[in-house]
């Protein structure tokens, strides 16, 4: 392989035991309801990846990354735990069989509803990192994260957290930002700290839906269709305010103790490295997804027929990843318009995720819906990130920024007052 790549698995595809309005994956039912991987004699309740596909995925993914000393398997959905505990036990058996001396790790993104003592014991014993989806305190979480019958799931998620703590399962949190919780940054942040999250991801929802069609679906900007932003999409300016409010709390109290993905990513950029998060890299294309039927797609957010690269049962992963189609997909991200190219924060942002580029510019390029928020938050981060990057270069812990954060804020305020 020319470059290492990551292949996230969707072992249950669109199948989920809750019904979030903002979920971009539930609609995949129209593509994958009939998967070739379903065994002919399997009972109707079977919804997971077949043993044939699972074996091919594990074996080929390890072999394709032969130069990597360790390999992470990431399981997501839909809701991956609906594949059943036996499925994951078999996955680990295949990993051990084909590891060939490599270190194998696993991460599971879940809504937590099925986690019980048996699940948590398995997760703890096998050191599987759990990413728990939770959108904040009860009223915020239950606004969208509801069961098929419309009941809130907050209390069941809290039980899952207690069960994970009981068994010593390592977990972090993923919080989507929508028009409901984006107005309450500190309430969300402090709640996540209270439940024991020490690593947080905040994912702003930006989705477009088809209009003037009989059965509308969420869609990416590159696909030809008349579309509009969904009402639950995050406002770009408010997204910036949300992250700034959390940053101001974090930079004074929690550096080195609480890890926020967006802040870690920004620090890497200010330290002169390319941001590790795919949405802020110059190019993408190295984070692919495999569906339960074995089909491999360019990206988790581009699981559409146009972006299918092949099938893991029939095709070699290196061939799929290195084909021209995928290369062009990754390079497309680097083609930004004049506004992005001239932006002071290009080094940290690189135009953001192509899926979020939904607003046309005069030069024919597309602007990221979150652009105003990115500009606002990166400008606010700048003096603190410069200090932390300087500390890193001097081999000192960046957490020392907490002792000077107020001084930095006062200096910035004085400079702003002078300029005004």
């Amino acid at each position: 392989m020319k470059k290492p790549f990551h292949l996230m698995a969707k072992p249950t595809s669109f199948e989920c035991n809750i019904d979030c309005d903002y979920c971009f994956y539930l609609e995949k039912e129209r593509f994958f309801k009939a998967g070739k991987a379903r065994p002919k004699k399997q009972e109707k309740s079977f919804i997971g990846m077949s043993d044939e596909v699972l074996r091919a995925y594990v074996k080929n993914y390890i072999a394709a990354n032969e130069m990597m000393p360790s390999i992470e398997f990431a399981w997501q959905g839909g809701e991956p735990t609906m594949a059943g505990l036996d499925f994951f036990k078999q996955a680990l058996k295949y990993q051990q069989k084909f590891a060939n001396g490599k270190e194998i790790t696993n991460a599971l993104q879940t809504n937590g509803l099925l986690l019980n003592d048996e699940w948590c014991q398995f997760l703890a014993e096998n050191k599987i990192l759990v990413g728990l989806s939770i959108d904040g305190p009860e009223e915020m979480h239950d606004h969208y994260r509801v069961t098929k019958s419309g009941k809130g799931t907050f209390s069941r998620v809290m039980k899952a957290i207690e069960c994970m703590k009981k068994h010593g399962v390592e977990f972090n949190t993923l919080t989507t930002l929508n028009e409901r919780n984006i107005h309450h940054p500190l309430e969300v942040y402090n709640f996540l700290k209270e439940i024991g999250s020490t690593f947080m991801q905040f994912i702003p929802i930006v989705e477009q839906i088809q209009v003037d069609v009989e059965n509308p679906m969420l869609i990416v900007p590159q696909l030809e269709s008349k579309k509009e932003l969904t009402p639950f999409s995050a406002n770009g300016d408010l997204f910036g305010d949300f992250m700034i409010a959390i940053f101001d709390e974090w930079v004074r109290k929690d550096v080195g103790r609480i890890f926020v993905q967006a802040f870690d990513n920004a620090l890497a950029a200010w330290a002169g490295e390319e941001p590790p998060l795919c949405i802020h890299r110059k190019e993408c294309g190295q984070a692919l997804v495999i569906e339960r039927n074995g089909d491999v797609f360019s990206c988790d957010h581009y699981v559409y027929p146009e972006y299918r690269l092949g099938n893991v049962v029939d095709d070699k992963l290196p061939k799929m990843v290195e084909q021209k189609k995928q290369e062009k997909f990754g390079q497309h991200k680097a083609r930004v318009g004049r506004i992005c190219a001239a932006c002071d924060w290009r080094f940290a942002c690189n135009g953001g995720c192509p899926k979020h580029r939904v607003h046309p510019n005069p030069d024919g390029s597309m602007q990221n819906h979150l652009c105003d928020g990115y500009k606002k938050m990166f400008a606010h981060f700048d003096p603190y990130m410069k200090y932390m990057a300087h500390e890193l270069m001097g081999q000192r812990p960046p957490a020392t920024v907490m002792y000077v954060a107020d001084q930095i804020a006062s200096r910035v305020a004085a400079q702003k007052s002078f300029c005004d």
Side-chain angles (χ1 to χ4, degrees):
M1 288 296 299
K2 295 178 181 178
K3 297 179 181 178
F5 68 96
H6 188 261
L7 183 61
M8 180 175 68
K10 301 271 191 178
T12 59
S13 187
F14 59 87
E15 306 278 4
C16 193
N17 49 3
I18 65 174
D19 192 18
C20 307
D21 284 347
Y22 59 61
C23 181
F24 68 92
Y25 221 80
L26 294 179
E27 67 179 17
K28 303 304 178 187
E29 180 175 3
R30 67 183 73 191
F31 298 141
F32 300 110
K33 191 166 186 176
K36 76 172 190 177
R38 185 188 295 264
K40 293 181 180 179
K41 297 181 179 180
Q42 191 72 34
E43 64 272 17
K44 291 183 179 180
S45 61
F46 179 80
I47 61 171
M49 183 180 281
S50 73
D51 187 73
E52 178 191 19
V53 173
L54 175 62
R55 187 181 189 278
Y57 163 50
V58 172
K59 180 180 180 181
N60 294 337
Y61 185 40
I62 293 174
N65 283 289
E66 59 183 356
M67 301 303 293
M68 300 295 292
S70 64
I71 298 175
E72 180 191 63
F73 284 81
W75 309 91
Q76 205 175 91
E79 176 49 44
T81 59
M82 291 177 69
L85 195 50
D86 287 342
F87 170 86
F88 286 96
K89 289 179 179 178
Q90 185 62 49
L92 264 60
K93 288 180 181 179
Y94 283 138
Q95 290 172 1
Q96 294 169 359
K97 179 176 181 179
F98 299 118
N100 195 26
K102 297 181 185 297
E103 178 188 12
I104 305 294
T105 61
N106 287 272
L108 175 73
Q109 186 66 42
T110 177
N111 59 38
L113 268 60
L114 296 181
L115 298 188
N116 55 22
D117 286 327
E118 186 179 11
W119 263 104
C120 289
Q121 184 176 349
F122 168 78
L123 295 168
E125 288 177 352
N126 293 284
K127 296 181 172 58
I128 297 176
L129 174 65
V130 171
L132 184 71
S133 297
I134 185 165
D135 283 355
E138 186 169 7
E139 63 176 17
M140 298 179 204
H141 177 89
D142 281 350
H143 185 71
Y144 284 118
R145 303 191 67 80
V146 297
T147 64
K148 305 290 185 182
S149 60
K151 295 181 179 179
T153 60
F154 181 82
S155 60
R156 296 172 66 181
V157 176
M158 294 303 291
K159 288 181 181 178
I161 292 172
E162 291 306 312
C163 193
M164 287 193 289
K165 290 180 178 178
K166 172 184 172 183
H167 290 276
V169 177
E170 184 180 357
F171 74 95
N172 57 40
T173 53
L174 186 154
T175 301
T176 62
L177 300 181
N178 51 68
E179 99 293 347
R180 183 77 173 188
N181 61 2
I182 203 168
H183 298 278
H184 308 279
L186 292 184
E187 190 175 349
V188 171
Y189 180 64
N190 288 324
F191 167 78
L192 294 176
K193 289 200 296 182
E194 288 171 7
I195 65 173
S197 177
T198 57
F199 184 89
M200 306 174 186
Q201 297 180 63
F202 296 101
I203 310 296
I205 298 293
V206 180
E207 294 291 348
Q208 293 188 109
I209 193 167
Q210 292 174 309
V211 295
D212 299 334
V213 294
E214 186 174 348
N215 295 305
M217 63 183 292
L218 300 179
I219 199 166
V220 294
Q222 288 81 2
L223 298 184
E224 293 297 328
S225 178
K226 187 177 180 181
K227 46 197 175 288
E228 64 184 14
L229 279 169
T230 59
F232 47 74
S233 291
N235 174 277
D237 201 52
L238 290 177
F239 167 61
D241 292 338
F242 183 98
M243 297 308 299
I244 287 171
I246 289 178
F247 182 84
D248 284 346
E249 183 80 359
W250 173 82
V251 82
R252 286 168 173 80
K253 299 178 181 179
D254 297 326
V255 182
R257 187 173 69 88
I258 302 294
F259 298 88
V260 179
Q261 185 186 54
F263 304 160
D264 291 345
N265 193 73
L267 182 55
W270 261 264
E273 302 174 7
E274 186 171 19
L277 193 60
C278 63
I279 64 172
H280 292 311
R281 297 180 70 86
K282 292 178 181 177
E283 295 184 3
C284 58
Q286 302 304 124
L288 298 85
V289 64
I290 178 171
E291 256 287 341
R292 71 175 174 190
N293 66 352
D295 284 349
V296 176
F297 292 84
S298 295
C299 170
D300 179 27
H301 290 281
Y302 285 80
V303 179
Y304 297 94
E306 294 87 341
Y307 298 93
R308 182 183 179 274
L309 301 173
N311 189 285
V312 74
V313 175
D314 305 317
D315 307 301
K316 296 295 184 181
L317 276 173
K319 182 179 178 181
M320 285 188 268
V321 177
E322 292 178 355
Q323 62 181 276
K324 288 290 184 181
K325 179 179 180 179
Q326 182 64 3
E327 184 180 349
K328 289 180 179 179
F329 174 84
Q331 292 173 346
H332 172 77
K333 186 179 187 301
R335 293 195 287 272
V336 298
R338 289 196 296 268
I339 294 175
C340 276
C343 181
D344 290 339
W345 314 115
R346 169 77 185 276
F347 74 98
C349 177
N350 285 309
C353 181
K355 185 185 178 183
H356 297 165
R357 299 176 186 176
V358 301
H359 302 297
N361 287 321
D363 65 358
S365 64
M366 300 295 284
Q367 198 71 16
N368 195 304
H369 177 67
L370 303 171
C371 181
D372 289 343
Y374 284 138
K375 287 179 179 179
K376 182 184 289 189
M377 66 188 238
F378 289 141
H380 185 83
F381 294 174
D382 183 54
Y384 306 93
M385 288 295 172
K386 284 178 177 175
Y387 177 90
M388 286 189 282
H390 183 265
E391 293 296 278
L392 281 174
M393 291 178 62
Q395 298 185 328
R396 296 180 296 273
T400 57
V401 71
M402 291 187 290
Y403 302 113
V404 298
D406 287 336
Q407 297 175 31
I408 293 174
S410 296
R411 186 173 69 246
V412 170
Q415 290 173 345
K416 185 177 184 299
S417 177
F418 178 78
C419 292
D420 291 343

